Amino acid sequence: MKNILITGGAGFIGCHVVKLFVKKYPNYNIINLDSLTYAGNLENLTEIENAPNYTFMKADICDRERVKEVFEKYDIDGVIHLAAESHVDRSITNPFEFAQTNIMGTLTLLNQAKISWKDNYTDKLFYHISTDEVYGSLGAEGFFLEDTPYDPKSPYSAAKASSDHFVRAYKNTFGLPIVITNCSNNYGPNQFPEKLIPLFINNIRNNKPLPVYGEGLNIRDWLYVEDHARAIDVVFHNGKLGDTYNIGGFNEWTNIDLIKVICKVMDKKLGRTKGTSEQLITYVTDRAGHDMRYAIDSTKLKEELGWEPSLQFEEGIEKTIDWYMDNQEWMDRIVSGDYQEYYKKQYNQ
Ligand code: NAD
Ligand code: TYD
């Protein structure tokens, strides 16, 4: 029996990881620790909430007492750490919250793992989920590799980079068994509608403007969220201790091209005349310090552990749009809450 602590399991990527592990490994106990910030939603987990090998604990990763309690109560031997503040725009308006959760929260978990596991690191693992944004921004050429020097440029990526450094420092100083993955932009079901793809799907559905930052020429490398969850499963079980793996889809899009694909598919789904949704595109003031291009080279993960993305982008985006169209109540319940306030502040409307 393995007792695995997954942090941030009520969020976008976390819920797919929790669902995969609960269903695929009935002999593991999965403990999901999440403080349920605006981004955490237990509705994402209804299909497994009553599974006998699943437990939810509402707690903050910065709360040392609660973190100690979860390690002791459930005799944790593996951690998959996803809990974080994750949205770049919010990190620009509220950097302190990002430093607190992403750095201090990670440190709190690392330190408790060290204390709880001090006598025996055998069969223990602290798996830290990070982002390609720690590597900074690329020009027109090249890819991020595992040994690309860190050069974070937003408060979000600076806080994630700092947490990665702490994870490696705990390996180097205390011998903690760790592994880190750095993944590119995810898309798919259950993503909070502050991120580009669900925000734009929702705005198209409601005939609202599509706020494109700057000229829309920034490039992101998109990966379907279930492929990320599969990669996490592979690395958790077969990753080399102490190593880093990049995860990405070799799937680069300029924002504006991606937005046009979404508009086209949405016109079809909504039975609107071709070109209707594109008319909603509105160029707005660029994000401060907007990273130009991210592109991940995930060759190491493919060659060493045999992982590859399973979905082509065209298929993934159709599936994603279908999910949001079939789950409109999920979206409506989210946007009727605090999100309205955030939207007004971010987009002046
Ligand atoms: P998300 O914002 O959707 O979810 C974050 C979850 O963490 C939420 O459930 C939230 O309630 C929880 N959380 C936040 N602060 C907490 C705290 N102090 N204590 C306990 N729980 C807390 O994020 P996501 O997009 O699912 O990202 C998950 C992880 O993957 C993050 O570490 C992020 O940096 C990383 N990542 C994300 C992407 C992406 O494209 N979304 C890409 C690469 C890496
Ligand atoms: P986002 O989904 O916030 O992810 P990240 O900033 O982590 O890459 O944004 C993806 C891209 O879309 C990024 O280049 C910023 C851009 N963008 C817009 O043009 N308009 C928007 O309203 C949002 C949220 C993002």
Side-chain angles (χ1 to χ4, degrees), residues 21 26 30 40 62 71 85-86 100 144 148-149 157 168 176 187 244 269:
F21 273 71
I30 303 300
C62 302
F71 269 81
E85 287 294 336
S86 69
Q100 176 66 13
F144 296 133
T148 299
S157 54
R168 294 194 179 98
L176 198 77
Y187 71 99
T244 294
K269 303 269 177 211

Side-chain angles (χ1 to χ4, degrees), residues 8 10-14 34-37 39-40 59-61 82-86 101 129-131 156 160 183-186 191 195:
F12 166 48
I13 301 170
D34 195 303
S35 63
L36 302 180
T37 65
D60 188 324
I61 54 168
L82 295 114
E85 287 294 336
S86 69
T101 291
I129 307 299
S130 192
T131 166
Y156 163 64
K160 289 297 290 187
C183 190
S184 62
N185 286 61
N186 285 215
Q191 188 169 30
K195 305 276 167 58

Side-chain angles (χ1 to χ4, degrees), residues 86-89 133 156 185 191 194-197 199-200 210-214 216 218-220 222 255 259 284 287 290-292 294 342 346-347:
S86 69
H87 189 42
V88 175
D89 291 328
E133 304 191 24
Y156 163 64
N185 286 61
Q191 188 169 30
E194 63 188 351
K195 305 276 167 58
L196 180 74
I197 292 180
L199 176 72
F200 278 36
L210 305 176
V212 179
Y213 296 162
N218 304 68
I219 293 173
R220 297 292 183 264
W222 294 93
N255 291 340
I259 290 159
V284 300
R287 172 185 281 173
H290 196 171
D291 286 344
M292 193 57 211
Y294 305 143
Y342 166 80
Q346 179 66 19
Y347 299 106

Side-chain angles (χ1 to χ4, degrees), residues 166-217:
F166 270 107
V167 176
R168 294 194 179 98
Y170 266 64
K171 170 200 151 200
N172 185 61
T173 311
F174 305 111
L176 198 77
I178 62 112
V179 69
I180 300 180
T181 50
N182 297 80
C183 190
S184 62
N185 286 61
N186 285 215
Y187 71 99
N190 306 96
Q191 188 169 30
F192 194 86
E194 63 188 351
K195 305 276 167 58
L196 180 74
I197 292 180
L199 176 72
F200 278 36
I201 293 172
N202 192 44
N203 281 14
I204 291 172
R205 176 163 77 89
N206 293 303
N207 268 311
K208 284 176 71 176
L210 305 176
V212 179
Y213 296 162
E215 295 179 78
L217 297 177

